[in-house]
Amino acid sequence: KAGVTQTPRYLIKTRGQQVTLSCSPISGHRSVSWYQQTPGQGLQFLFEYFSETQRNKGNFPGRFSGRQFSNSRSEMNVSTLELGDSALYLCASSFQGQGGEKLFFGSGTQLSVL
Amino acid sequence: AQTVTQSQPEMSVQEAETVTLSCTYDTSESNYYLFWYKQPPSRQMILVIRQEAYKQQNATENRFSVNFQKAAKSFSLKISDSQLGDTAMYFCAFTNSNSGYALNFGKGTSLLVTP
């Protein structure tokens, strides 16, 4: 069974641009979550999608958005990039995303904003 | 909001020795889940061990075990017979229904296993 796949692995953008990150979950998993990892703030929850609906959202500005497709693949978009958006963005998938279920993580997309 | 604290930013242990990583958390809830995740240089987070708060028995996975003290809100990870491949960042995490089962992570402990 293939694991969680995130593309691209690395991305360099400039301030003001927008970026889209992609996540393909493990086959059969319907829940996809996104986390931001920075040296200063650590790991922070962005949002979770289940069956194409955003079910949960963290404390991030509206510049951060996402969506999930019918095949459970998810994309995350950040508009009007700021220097502080430089981070490792991790995607995780699970069957239901409930009840303390085990999450399977991808290797992340490293975003650098110049 | 629930907080997770890992008081040891860095630790070092010799191969084959035992090491314990500390984690404390703060919650007023009685039902929740606790995890230890490992993040090697490849950056992929890997679940090491999982504990359900309503289970009194400490979770064990091969060389990894936890000491879950619910009253003290403590959840330490013990790694026995340390191996070079255990070198990684270790994150303690908390979740429950109040957060919609989003993981709340500690800042992490960097573990170095030396020959």
Side-chain angles (χ1 to χ4, degrees), chain B residues 24-62:
Chain B
T24 58
Y25 57 94
D26 184 26
T27 184
S28 57
E29 302 299 320
S30 59
N31 194 25
Y32 49 87
Y33 300 84
L34 294 161
F35 306 84
W36 278 99
Y37 276 89
K38 166 185 175 180
Q39 188 177 40
S42 67
R43 310 180 314 189
Q44 185 179 25
M45 300 281 280
I46 301 164
L47 179 65
V48 175
I49 204 162
R50 174 181 177 272
Q51 176 81 42
E52 298 169 46
Y54 64 85
K55 287 188 177 178
Q56 301 237 347
Q57 188 173 5
N58 289 325
T60 300
E61 288 287 342
N62 301 314

CSV table of all heavy atoms in Angstrom, one decimal, chain B residues 24-62:
chain,number,residue,atom,x,y,z
B,24,THR,N,4.4,16.3,29.8
B,24,THR,CA,3.3,16.6,30.7
B,24,THR,C,2.3,17.4,29.9
B,24,THR,O,2.6,18.0,28.8
B,24,THR,CB,3.7,17.4,31.9
B,24,THR,OG1,4.3,18.7,31.5
B,24,THR,CG2,4.6,16.7,32.8
B,25,TYR,N,1.0,17.3,30.3
B,25,TYR,CA,0.0,17.9,29.5
B,25,TYR,C,-1.1,18.5,30.5
B,25,TYR,O,-1.1,18.2,31.7
B,25,TYR,CB,-0.7,16.9,28.6
B,25,TYR,CG,-1.3,15.7,29.3
B,25,TYR,CD1,-2.6,15.6,29.7
B,25,TYR,CD2,-0.4,14.6,29.5
B,25,TYR,CE1,-3.1,14.5,30.4
B,25,TYR,CE2,-0.9,13.5,30.2
B,25,TYR,CZ,-2.2,13.5,30.6
B,25,TYR,OH,-2.7,12.4,31.3
B,26,ASP,N,-1.8,19.4,30.0
B,26,ASP,CA,-2.8,20.1,30.8
B,26,ASP,C,-4.2,20.0,30.2
B,26,ASP,O,-4.4,20.4,29.1
B,26,ASP,CB,-2.4,21.5,31.0
B,26,ASP,CG,-3.4,22.2,32.0
B,26,ASP,OD1,-4.0,21.6,32.8
B,26,ASP,OD2,-3.5,23.5,31.9
B,27,THR,N,-5.1,19.3,30.9
B,27,THR,CA,-6.5,19.2,30.4
B,27,THR,C,-7.4,19.0,31.6
B,27,THR,O,-7.1,18.5,32.6
B,27,THR,CB,-6.6,18.1,29.4
B,27,THR,OG1,-8.0,18.1,28.9
B,27,THR,CG2,-6.4,16.7,30.1
B,28,SER,N,-8.7,19.5,31.4
B,28,SER,CA,-9.7,19.2,32.4
B,28,SER,C,-10.6,18.1,32.0
B,28,SER,O,-11.5,17.7,32.7
B,28,SER,CB,-10.5,20.5,32.6
B,28,SER,OG,-11.1,20.9,31.4
B,29,GLU,N,-10.3,17.5,30.8
B,29,GLU,CA,-11.2,16.4,30.3
B,29,GLU,C,-10.7,15.1,30.9
B,29,GLU,O,-9.5,15.0,31.3
B,29,GLU,CB,-11.1,16.4,28.8
B,29,GLU,CG,-11.5,17.7,28.1
B,29,GLU,CD,-13.0,18.0,28.4
B,29,GLU,OE1,-13.8,17.1,28.4
B,29,GLU,OE2,-13.3,19.2,28.6
B,30,SER,N,-11.6,14.1,30.8
B,30,SER,CA,-11.2,12.8,31.4
B,30,SER,C,-11.0,11.8,30.2
B,30,SER,O,-10.4,10.8,30.5
B,30,SER,CB,-12.3,12.3,32.3
B,30,SER,OG,-13.6,12.2,31.6
B,31,ASN,N,-11.5,12.1,29.1
B,31,ASN,CA,-11.3,11.2,27.9
B,31,ASN,C,-10.5,11.8,26.8
B,31,ASN,O,-10.9,12.9,26.3
B,31,ASN,CB,-12.7,10.8,27.4
B,31,ASN,CG,-12.6,9.6,26.5
B,31,ASN,OD1,-11.7,8.8,26.6
B,31,ASN,ND2,-13.5,9.5,25.5
B,32,TYR,N,-9.4,11.2,26.5
B,32,TYR,CA,-8.5,11.8,25.5
B,32,TYR,C,-7.5,10.7,25.1
B,32,TYR,O,-7.5,9.6,25.6
B,32,TYR,CB,-7.7,13.0,26.1
B,32,TYR,CG,-7.1,12.8,27.5
B,32,TYR,CD1,-5.8,12.3,27.6
B,32,TYR,CD2,-7.8,13.2,28.6
B,32,TYR,CE1,-5.2,12.1,28.8
B,32,TYR,CE2,-7.2,13.0,29.9
B,32,TYR,CZ,-5.9,12.5,29.9
B,32,TYR,OH,-5.4,12.3,31.2
B,33,TYR,N,-6.7,11.1,24.2
B,33,TYR,CA,-5.7,10.2,23.6
B,33,TYR,C,-4.3,10.9,23.6
B,33,TYR,O,-4.2,12.1,23.4
B,33,TYR,CB,-6.0,9.8,22.2
B,33,TYR,CG,-7.4,9.1,22.1
B,33,TYR,CD1,-8.5,9.9,22.0
B,33,TYR,CD2,-7.5,7.7,22.1
B,33,TYR,CE1,-9.8,9.2,21.8
B,33,TYR,CE2,-8.7,7.1,21.9
B,33,TYR,CZ,-9.8,7.9,21.8
B,33,TYR,OH,-11.1,7.3,21.7
B,34,LEU,N,-3.3,10.1,23.9
B,34,LEU,CA,-1.9,10.6,23.9
B,34,LEU,C,-1.1,9.8,22.9
B,34,LEU,O,-1.3,8.6,22.8
B,34,LEU,CB,-1.3,10.5,25.3
B,34,LEU,CG,-2.0,11.4,26.4
B,34,LEU,CD1,-1.6,10.9,27.8
B,34,LEU,CD2,-1.6,12.9,26.2
B,35,PHE,N,-0.1,10.5,22.3
B,35,PHE,CA,0.8,9.8,21.3
B,35,PHE,C,2.2,10.3,21.5
B,35,PHE,O,2.5,11.4,22.0
B,35,PHE,CB,0.3,10.2,19.9
B,35,PHE,CG,-1.1,10.0,19.6
B,35,PHE,CD1,-2.1,11.0,19.9
B,35,PHE,CD2,-1.5,8.9,18.9
B,35,PHE,CE1,-3.4,10.8,19.6
B,35,PHE,CE2,-2.9,8.7,18.6
B,35,PHE,CZ,-3.8,9.7,18.9
B,36,TRP,N,3.1,9.4,21.1
B,36,TRP,CA,4.5,9.8,20.8
B,36,TRP,C,4.7,9.6,19.3
B,36,TRP,O,4.5,8.5,18.8
B,36,TRP,CB,5.4,9.0,21.6
B,36,TRP,CG,5.6,9.5,23.0
B,36,TRP,CD1,5.0,9.0,24.2
B,36,TRP,CD2,6.5,10.5,23.4
B,36,TRP,NE1,5.4,9.7,25.2
B,36,TRP,CE2,6.3,10.7,24.8
B,36,TRP,CE3,7.3,11.4,22.8
B,36,TRP,CZ2,7.0,11.6,25.6
B,36,TRP,CZ3,8.0,12.3,23.5
B,36,TRP,CH2,7.8,12.4,24.9
B,37,TYR,N,5.2,10.6,18.7
B,37,TYR,CA,5.6,10.5,17.3
B,37,TYR,C,7.1,10.8,17.1
B,37,TYR,O,7.7,11.5,17.9
B,37,TYR,CB,4.9,11.6,16.4
B,37,TYR,CG,3.5,11.2,16.0
B,37,TYR,CD1,2.4,11.5,16.8
B,37,TYR,CD2,3.3,10.5,14.8
B,37,TYR,CE1,1.1,11.1,16.3
B,37,TYR,CE2,2.0,10.2,14.3
B,37,TYR,CZ,0.9,10.4,15.1
B,37,TYR,OH,-0.3,10.1,14.7
B,38,LYS,N,7.7,10.1,16.2
B,38,LYS,CA,9.1,10.2,15.9
B,38,LYS,C,9.3,10.9,14.5
B,38,LYS,O,8.5,10.5,13.6
B,38,LYS,CB,9.7,8.8,15.8
B,38,LYS,CG,11.1,8.7,15.3
B,38,LYS,CD,11.5,7.2,15.2
B,38,LYS,CE,12.8,7.0,14.5
B,38,LYS,NZ,13.2,5.6,14.4
B,39,GLN,N,10.2,11.9,14.4
B,39,GLN,CA,10.5,12.5,13.2
B,39,GLN,C,11.9,12.4,12.8
B,39,GLN,O,12.7,13.2,13.4
B,39,GLN,CB,10.0,14.0,13.2
B,39,GLN,CG,10.1,14.7,11.8
B,39,GLN,CD,9.6,16.1,11.8
B,39,GLN,OE1,9.8,16.8,12.7
B,39,GLN,NE2,8.9,16.5,10.7
B,40,PRO,N,12.3,11.5,12.0
B,40,PRO,CA,13.8,11.4,11.6
B,40,PRO,C,14.1,12.4,10.6
B,40,PRO,O,13.3,13.2,10.2
B,40,PRO,CB,13.8,10.0,11.0
B,40,PRO,CG,12.4,9.7,10.6
B,40,PRO,CD,11.5,10.4,11.5
B,41,PRO,N,15.4,12.5,10.2
B,41,PRO,CA,15.8,13.5,9.2
B,41,PRO,C,15.0,13.5,7.9
B,41,PRO,O,14.9,14.5,7.2
B,41,PRO,CB,17.3,13.2,9.0
B,41,PRO,CG,17.7,12.5,10.3
B,41,PRO,CD,16.5,11.8,10.8
B,42,SER,N,14.4,12.4,7.6
B,42,SER,CA,13.5,12.3,6.4
B,42,SER,C,12.3,13.2,6.5
B,42,SER,O,11.6,13.4,5.6
B,42,SER,CB,13.1,10.8,6.2
B,42,SER,OG,12.2,10.4,7.2
B,43,ARG,N,12.0,13.7,7.8
B,43,ARG,CA,10.9,14.6,8.1
B,43,ARG,C,9.5,13.9,8.2
B,43,ARG,O,8.6,14.6,8.7
B,43,ARG,CB,10.8,15.7,7.0
B,43,ARG,CG,12.1,16.4,6.8
B,43,ARG,CD,11.9,17.5,5.8
B,43,ARG,NE,11.2,17.1,4.6
B,43,ARG,CZ,11.0,17.9,3.5
B,43,ARG,NH1,11.7,19.1,3.5
B,43,ARG,NH2,10.3,17.5,2.5
B,44,GLN,N,9.4,12.6,7.9
B,44,GLN,CA,8.1,12.0,8.0
B,44,GLN,C,7.8,11.6,9.4
B,44,GLN,O,8.6,10.9,10.1
B,44,GLN,CB,8.1,10.7,7.1
B,44,GLN,CG,6.7,10.0,7.1
B,44,GLN,CD,6.7,8.8,6.2
B,44,GLN,OE1,7.8,8.2,6.0
B,44,GLN,NE2,5.6,8.5,5.6
B,45,MET,N,6.7,12.1,9.9
B,45,MET,CA,6.3,11.8,11.3
B,45,MET,C,5.8,10.3,11.3
B,45,MET,O,4.9,9.9,10.5
B,45,MET,CB,5.1,12.7,11.7
B,45,MET,CG,5.5,14.2,11.7
B,45,MET,SD,6.4,14.6,13.1
B,45,MET,CE,5.1,14.7,14.3
B,46,ILE,N,6.3,9.6,12.3
B,46,ILE,CA,6.0,8.2,12.4
B,46,ILE,C,5.4,7.9,13.8
B,46,ILE,O,6.0,8.3,14.8
B,46,ILE,CB,7.2,7.3,12.2
B,46,ILE,CG1,7.8,7.5,10.8
B,46,ILE,CG2,6.8,5.8,12.3
B,46,ILE,CD1,9.2,7.0,10.6
B,47,LEU,N,4.3,7.3,13.9
B,47,LEU,CA,3.7,7.0,15.2
B,47,LEU,C,4.5,5.9,15.9
B,47,LEU,O,4.8,4.9,15.4
B,47,LEU,CB,2.2,6.5,15.1
B,47,LEU,CG,1.5,6.1,16.4
B,47,LEU,CD1,1.4,7.4,17.2
B,47,LEU,CD2,0.2,5.5,16.1
B,48,VAL,N,4.9,6.2,17.1
B,48,VAL,CA,5.7,5.3,18.0
B,48,VAL,C,4.8,4.5,18.9
B,48,VAL,O,4.8,3.3,18.9
B,48,VAL,CB,6.7,6.1,18.8
B,48,VAL,CG1,7.4,5.1,19.8
B,48,VAL,CG2,7.7,6.8,17.9
B,49,ILE,N,3.9,5.2,19.5
B,49,ILE,CA,3.0,4.6,20.5
B,49,ILE,C,1.8,5.4,20.8
B,49,ILE,O,1.9,6.7,20.7
B,49,ILE,CB,3.8,4.3,21.8
B,49,ILE,CG1,3.2,3.1,22.6
B,49,ILE,CG2,4.0,5.5,22.6
B,49,ILE,CD1,4.2,2.5,23.6
B,50,ARG,N,0.7,4.8,21.2
B,50,ARG,CA,-0.6,5.5,21.4
B,50,ARG,C,-1.2,5.0,22.7
B,50,ARG,O,-1.1,3.8,23.0
B,50,ARG,CB,-1.5,5.2,20.2
B,50,ARG,CG,-2.9,5.7,20.3
B,50,ARG,CD,-3.7,5.2,19.1
B,50,ARG,NE,-5.1,5.6,19.1
B,50,ARG,CZ,-6.0,4.8,19.6
B,50,ARG,NH1,-5.7,3.7,20.2
B,50,ARG,NH2,-7.3,5.2,19.5
B,51,GLN,N,-1.8,5.9,23.5
B,51,GLN,CA,-2.4,5.6,24.8
B,51,GLN,C,-3.8,6.2,24.9
B,51,GLN,O,-3.9,7.4,24.6
B,51,GLN,CB,-1.5,6.1,25.9
B,51,GLN,CG,-2.1,5.9,27.3
B,51,GLN,CD,-1.8,4.5,27.9
B,51,GLN,OE1,-0.8,3.9,27.7
B,51,GLN,NE2,-2.8,3.9,28.5
B,52,GLU,N,-4.7,5.4,25.2
B,52,GLU,CA,-6.1,5.9,25.5
B,52,GLU,C,-6.2,6.2,27.0
B,52,GLU,O,-5.9,5.3,27.8
B,52,GLU,CB,-7.1,4.9,25.0
B,52,GLU,CG,-7.0,4.6,23.5
B,52,GLU,CD,-7.9,3.4,23.1
B,52,GLU,OE1,-9.0,3.3,23.6
B,52,GLU,OE2,-7.4,2.5,22.4
B,53,ALA,N,-6.7,7.4,27.3
B,53,ALA,CA,-6.7,7.8,28.7
B,53,ALA,C,-7.5,6.9,29.6
B,53,ALA,O,-7.3,6.8,30.8
B,53,ALA,CB,-7.2,9.2,28.8
B,54,TYR,N,-8.6,6.3,29.1
B,54,TYR,CA,-9.4,5.4,29.9
B,54,TYR,C,-8.8,4.1,30.2
B,54,TYR,O,-9.3,3.3,31.0
B,54,TYR,CB,-10.8,5.3,29.3
B,54,TYR,CG,-10.9,4.6,28.0
B,54,TYR,CD1,-10.9,3.2,28.0
B,54,TYR,CD2,-10.9,5.2,26.8
B,54,TYR,CE1,-11.0,2.5,26.8
B,54,TYR,CE2,-10.9,4.6,25.6
B,54,TYR,CZ,-11.0,3.2,25.6
B,54,TYR,OH,-11.0,2.5,24.4
B,55,LYS,N,-7.7,3.8,29.6
B,55,LYS,CA,-7.0,2.5,29.8
B,55,LYS,C,-5.9,2.7,30.8
B,55,LYS,O,-5.0,3.5,30.6
B,55,LYS,CB,-6.4,1.9,28.5
B,55,LYS,CG,-7.4,1.4,27.6
B,55,LYS,CD,-6.8,0.7,26.4
B,55,LYS,CE,-7.8,0.1,25.5
B,55,LYS,NZ,-7.2,-0.6,24.3
B,56,GLN,N,-6.0,2.0,31.9
B,56,GLN,CA,-5.0,2.1,33.0
B,56,GLN,C,-3.7,1.5,32.6
B,56,GLN,O,-2.6,2.0,33.0
B,56,GLN,CB,-5.5,1.5,34.3
B,56,GLN,CG,-6.8,2.0,34.8
B,56,GLN,CD,-6.7,2.5,36.2
B,56,GLN,OE1,-5.7,2.3,36.9
B,56,GLN,NE2,-7.7,3.3,36.6
B,57,GLN,N,-3.7,0.5,31.8
B,57,GLN,CA,-2.5,-0.3,31.4
B,57,GLN,C,-1.6,0.6,30.5
B,57,GLN,O,-2.1,1.2,29.5
B,57,GLN,CB,-2.8,-1.6,30.8
B,57,GLN,CG,-1.6,-2.5,30.5
B,57,GLN,CD,-2.1,-3.9,30.0
B,57,GLN,OE1,-3.2,-4.1,29.8
B,57,GLN,NE2,-1.1,-4.7,29.9
B,58,ASN,N,-0.3,0.6,30.8
B,58,ASN,CA,0.6,1.4,30.0
B,58,ASN,C,0.8,0.7,28.6
B,58,ASN,O,1.0,-0.5,28.6
B,58,ASN,CB,1.9,1.5,30.7
B,58,ASN,CG,1.9,2.5,31.8
B,58,ASN,OD1,1.1,3.5,31.8
B,58,ASN,ND2,2.6,2.2,32.9
B,59,ALA,N,0.8,1.5,27.5
B,59,ALA,CA,1.0,0.9,26.2
B,59,ALA,C,2.5,0.5,26.0
B,59,ALA,O,3.4,1.1,26.6
B,59,ALA,CB,0.6,2.0,25.2
B,60,THR,N,2.7,-0.5,25.2
B,60,THR,CA,4.0,-1.0,24.9
B,60,THR,C,4.0,-1.4,23.4
B,60,THR,O,3.1,-2.0,22.9
B,60,THR,CB,4.3,-2.3,25.8
B,60,THR,OG1,4.3,-1.9,27.1
B,60,THR,CG2,5.7,-2.8,25.4
B,61,GLU,N,5.1,-1.1,22.8
B,61,GLU,CA,5.4,-1.5,21.4
B,61,GLU,C,6.8,-1.8,21.3
B,61,GLU,O,7.7,-1.0,21.1
B,61,GLU,CB,5.1,-0.3,20.4
B,61,GLU,CG,3.6,0.0,20.2
B,61,GLU,CD,2.8,-1.0,19.4
B,61,GLU,OE1,3.5,-1.8,18.7
B,61,GLU,OE2,1.6,-1.0,19.5
B,62,ASN,N,7.1,-3.1,21.4
B,62,ASN,CA,8.5,-3.6,21.3
B,62,ASN,C,9.4,-3.0,22.3
B,62,ASN,O,9.2,-3.1,23.5
B,62,ASN,CB,9.0,-3.5,19.8
B,62,ASN,CG,8.1,-4.2,18.8
B,62,ASN,OD1,7.7,-5.4,19.0
B,62,ASN,ND2,7.7,-3.5,17.7
